[in-house]
Amino acid sequence: MRTLALPLSAALVATACRGDLTVWTPPPPPDADANSAIFLYQPAGRPAFAFVVPVVEGRPVRAAIEVPDELPAPEDGTVSAFYYEDTIAQLRLPEGLLPNTSDPRPCALAQPRSAFQQNLGEASWAPRALLLSPNEQQVVLGQAACQAVDLCLQLSGELVELPAPDSVSSMFPIADDRVLVTNLALNSFVVGPDSVTTTSVSTGWAPSTGLRLPSGELWIGGAHGRVARGSWPGPWQQLPIPDRADFLVSAFSVSPDGSAMFALSVRAKDETTPTAEYEVALDRHDATGWRQLHRSRTGAARSHAAAIVWLDTQRAVFTYRDVSYLVWDGRAVRKVSPDQNELVKVAITALAMPEGQVDPWMGADDGRVYRLDVDEERIQPLDVAVQALSAVERLVAFRNGVLVGAQNGWVFQAYPGAMPCQGLSLARSDAELIVQLPGTLVISGGNPDWSRPNSVAWVTLP
């Protein structure tokens, strides 16, 4: 037998009981939120093997295990380190050598929090893709298909009543523990986990959407193409978008390199302009000001359903509750109507990019969740056991899946390869708006019962 040991702070070492083989590798970079790790050895031209260790304070602990003589000594090749948030017990794995078996392991193993790789004998680790290759899946997940794992969380919320019954039209964070809420009557409130304060926004107009950057800077948008940048409660720099007098600014997203802000705006029919066309516009702001990237008519559009996700450092997808969507490739915008059932087409009502996925997930007006294959320009139903009674109102990337917001405060959890999660009634309003704060979800939207005040639900995450 050969002993393979993982020291806490010195090196990863493999020694042979019947020889003098010693292979040194430094420990991988820490992951503060990890509780377990899988190390996958892939010796050049020989079978791969893996072992499992606990993680304490972000670093793998020392774990000496016996490697059978029939396994290849890790003299060369590569080693990958996969970090997981769950403990070894929660992953349903044995500590030490991961047995070579045809029995499937939990699908959650395919979705590590973070991953690193190095060539054996080199001094440094490099980040690697989270998705396991087919060969790696055979070693880590087993030869057979992985088995569903129970990732469902039991969540409950505390309600904070608003001083009016009006439906909430926008909600976004202004601090780590406060959100700004605006209703259809254009009243605004600062809401905390146990407090509500009526306020007025010093821009002079009610916001329809907002984005808080990691620096604390806020971007807020409103009717007639209004945009302001600043910090709560002000001062604000007014940055209106040219030629957007009839548009409602509906979503913001900053480019991955932080050099530009993208704004998605919607022009929709309403009672005052019943003959107006639905339109969507995309604008980009950088040091030179605003520049229009796209403007077109569309079959339908809803401001509260506007969403933006980045596929990588250059490409982004923009949706607005229609059968079409926009794709930005770093140079130009394409409008796409994806391939789907010709008889029953679904509208894209929500969008999110789960961690570790290469394609975004979308909610639809049939209450289901789909994968949006951007390269193939098609949508594919996902087997995530979510079927809302009405349209999906909101998707939020959560853990390695999504939270699905629906009417009457219902929220579903959907994880790839997981067991079905029971829907949870977390809010008294429709779950159209979901904001994720540190350790908290904040939920609000339309008021199904105007005989009582509307409310905001604060859900503490475990």
Side-chain angles (χ1 to χ4, degrees), residues 24-180:
W24 295 92
T25 65
D31 185 331
D33 295 319
N35 290 294
S36 61
I38 295 177
F39 286 82
L40 175 64
Y41 280 94
Q42 301 186 79
R46 289 168 291 171
F49 63 95
F51 68 94
V52 186
V53 298
V55 172
V56 175
E57 296 182 351
R59 294 184 178 277
V61 302
R62 179 186 296 275
I65 64 171
E66 297 295 323
V67 180
D69 289 330
E70 61 268 19
L71 289 179
E75 303 174 50
D76 51 15
T78 63
V79 58
S80 296
F82 302 108
Y83 282 112
Y84 296 87
E85 184 175 351
D86 289 338
T87 64
I88 292 177
Q90 291 170 326
L91 291 176
R92 306 177 186 178
L93 295 177
E95 183 175 344
L97 184 67
L98 197 56
N100 184 10
T101 176
S102 60
D103 295 331
R105 301 190 176 102
C107 301
L109 300 182
Q111 301 292 333
R113 280 185 42 81
S114 56
F116 301 90
Q117 183 173 308
Q118 74 156 200
N119 295 320
L120 284 169
E122 294 185 356
S124 61
W125 294 75
R128 57 151 286 170
L130 295 179
L131 296 178
L132 279 65
S133 71
N135 289 338
E136 292 171 334
Q137 289 186 11
Q138 286 192 348
V139 178
V140 174
L141 298 177
Q143 300 289 330
C146 58
Q147 64 183 358
V149 62
D150 184 4
L151 299 177
C152 308
L153 295 176
Q154 292 301 312
L155 304 173
S156 61
E158 297 292 332
L159 297 181
V160 178
E161 283 196 347
L162 300 173
D166 304 84
S167 293
V168 169
S169 56
S170 74
M171 182 173 69
F172 54 87
I174 57 176
D176 285 348
D177 60 351
R178 287 176 297 156
V179 294
L180 182 69

Side-chain angles (χ1 to χ4, degrees), residues 160-171 180-189 191 206-208 248 303-304 393 406-409 428-433 443-456:
V160 178
E161 283 196 347
L162 300 173
D166 304 84
S167 293
V168 169
S169 56
S170 74
M171 182 173 69
L180 182 69
V181 171
T182 301
N183 62 21
L184 290 178
L186 302 185
N187 299 313
S188 294
F189 312 95
V191 182
S208 56
L248 187 71
S303 60
H304 83 268
E393 299 293 345
Q407 289 187 1
N408 298 311
R428 204 164 63 192
S429 65
D430 295 331
E432 296 173 323
L433 304 167
I443 305 171
S444 194
N447 188 358
D449 184 358
W450 277 50
S451 67
R452 63 187 181 190
N454 204 356
S455 61
V456 176

Side-chain angles (χ1 to χ4, degrees), residues 243-244 247 267 279-282 292-297:
D243 302 322
R244 296 289 173 262
F247 283 75
R267 180 175 183 259
E279 287 190 78
V280 61
L282 179 62
Q292 176 178 297
L293 299 178
H294 179 85
R295 177 174 176 172
S296 67
R297 294 180 181 181

Side-chain angles (χ1 to χ4, degrees), residues 337-400:
S337 294
D339 289 339
Q340 53 176 306
N341 190 315
E342 292 296 327
L343 298 178
V344 184
K345 288 184 178 292
V346 298
I348 303 170
T349 60
L351 194 70
M353 177 64 88
E355 183 177 351
Q357 299 293 312
V358 295
D359 289 313
W361 290 11
M362 50 164 273
D365 58 358
D366 66 351
R368 299 179 67 185
V369 178
Y370 295 78
R371 181 173 68 88
L372 178 58
D373 189 327
V374 178
D375 291 335
E376 296 294 330
E377 297 185 354
R378 63 183 301 178
I379 67 172
Q380 299 178 340
L382 284 172
D383 184 17
V384 290
V386 170
Q387 178 65 61
L389 297 179
S390 57
V392 171
E393 299 293 345
R394 180 70 54 166
L395 286 188
V396 176
F398 182 69
R399 302 169 80 192
N400 69 325

Side-chain angles (χ1 to χ4, degrees), residues 129-352:
L130 295 179
L131 296 178
L132 279 65
S133 71
N135 289 338
E136 292 171 334
Q137 289 186 11
Q138 286 192 348
V139 178
V140 174
L141 298 177
Q143 300 289 330
C146 58
Q147 64 183 358
V149 62
D150 184 4
L151 299 177
C152 308
L153 295 176
Q154 292 301 312
L155 304 173
S156 61
E158 297 292 332
L159 297 181
V160 178
E161 283 196 347
L162 300 173
D166 304 84
S167 293
V168 169
S169 56
S170 74
M171 182 173 69
F172 54 87
I174 57 176
D176 285 348
D177 60 351
R178 287 176 297 156
V179 294
L180 182 69
V181 171
T182 301
N183 62 21
L184 290 178
L186 302 185
N187 299 313
S188 294
F189 312 95
V190 173
V191 182
D194 53 11
S195 65
V196 178
T197 304
T198 302
T199 189
S200 59
V201 185
S202 58
T203 55
W205 42 268
S208 56
T209 189
L211 175 66
R212 183 172 183 249
L213 302 180
S215 64
E217 181 180 71
L218 287 171
W219 284 68
I220 61 175
H224 310 300
R226 296 183 178 118
V227 173
R229 176 174 65 184
S231 57
W232 184 262
W236 303 97
Q237 178 187 8
Q238 301 278 354
L239 298 168
I241 306 175
D243 302 322
R244 296 289 173 262
D246 296 330
F247 283 75
L248 187 71
V249 180
S250 303
F252 289 113
S253 182
V254 67
S255 60
D257 65 2
S259 65
M261 180 66 71
F262 289 73
L264 181 64
S265 303
V266 167
R267 180 175 183 259
K269 299 177 183 179
D270 58 29
E271 293 181 358
T272 60
T273 58
T275 60
E277 297 286 348
Y278 289 109
E279 287 190 78
V280 61
L282 179 62
D283 297 276
R284 181 181 189 270
H285 185 277
D286 56 23
T288 64
W290 287 107
R291 177 166 63 94
Q292 176 178 297
L293 299 178
H294 179 85
R295 177 174 176 172
S296 67
R297 294 180 181 181
T298 185
R302 294 290 185 273
S303 60
H304 83 268
I308 303 171
V309 301
W310 288 87
L311 305 177
D312 50 42
T313 58
Q314 294 291 328
R315 299 183 301 154
V317 175
F318 307 81
T319 59
Y320 35 85
R321 203 182 183 104
D322 191 20
V323 295
S324 64
Y325 60 89
L326 305 178
V327 178
W328 163 254
D329 64 5
R331 298 178 302 276
V333 175
R334 290 184 299 112
K335 189 173 183 178
V336 179
S337 294
D339 289 339
Q340 53 176 306
N341 190 315
E342 292 296 327
L343 298 178
V344 184
K345 288 184 178 292
V346 298
I348 303 170
T349 60
L351 194 70

